[in-house]
Structures are given as structure tokens and as C-alpha cells.
Amino acid sequence: MLYEHMELLESIGLDLLFAAIFFFIGMAIKDVLKQGNVPPFGRKIVWLVLFLGCAGFITKGLIQISWEGAGIG
């Protein structure tokens, strides 16, 4: 295998690892909220914060890709 292919596989694997981590964090939060009898407003706030964290991570990746494509970074 060429080095370029290994770098691509590592990049895809890292992205899948982060997706799996976010999934497991979400499942853990869901379980804690269910067992703690958290009110609906509190649940919405917790899920909003989790979503914003994921959205920030995805936005950072998109900005990084666009900057590398434009030759900035």
C-alpha cells in the first residue's frame, strides 16, 4: 500500500473514532438523564450543549478542509 493510502485510512479511522465517541457519550448522557429523572427543560439544555459540541467539531473540520484546499493552512 502506498503512503498516501495509509494517510487516508488513518484520517477516515480517526473520524470514525470521534463519531463513535460522540455516540457513546450521547448514550451515556441519555442513560444518566433517564435515571436522574431530569425535567424536560434540563434535558433539552443538555442535548443542546451536546449538539453544539458536535456541530463545533464538524465545523472545525470543514473549515480546516476548506483552508487546506485554498492553500491557506
Side-chain angles (χ1 to χ4, degrees):
M1 225 182 232
L2 297 174
Y3 181 72
E4 296 86 25
H5 296 281
M6 290 298 292
E7 187 175 322
L8 177 64
L9 287 174
E10 288 175 358
S11 175
I12 292 171
L14 187 62
D15 290 340
L16 291 175
L17 173 72
F18 285 133
I21 287 173
F22 280 127
F23 174 75
F24 287 128
I25 288 172
M27 295 303 293
I29 289 173
K30 180 181 176 184
D31 186 48
V32 168
L33 292 175
K34 187 175 181 179
Q35 289 182 359
N37 294 328
V38 177
F41 179 73
R43 290 180 189 212
K44 290 177 184 173
I45 295 297
V46 168
W47 287 116
L48 176 68
V49 170
L50 181 65
F51 171 75
L52 290 176
C54 293
F57 179 74
I58 292 169
T59 303
K60 179 194 79 78
L62 294 175
I63 291 171
Q64 183 178 4
I65 289 171
S66 68
W67 281 11
E68 288 175 357
I72 296 174

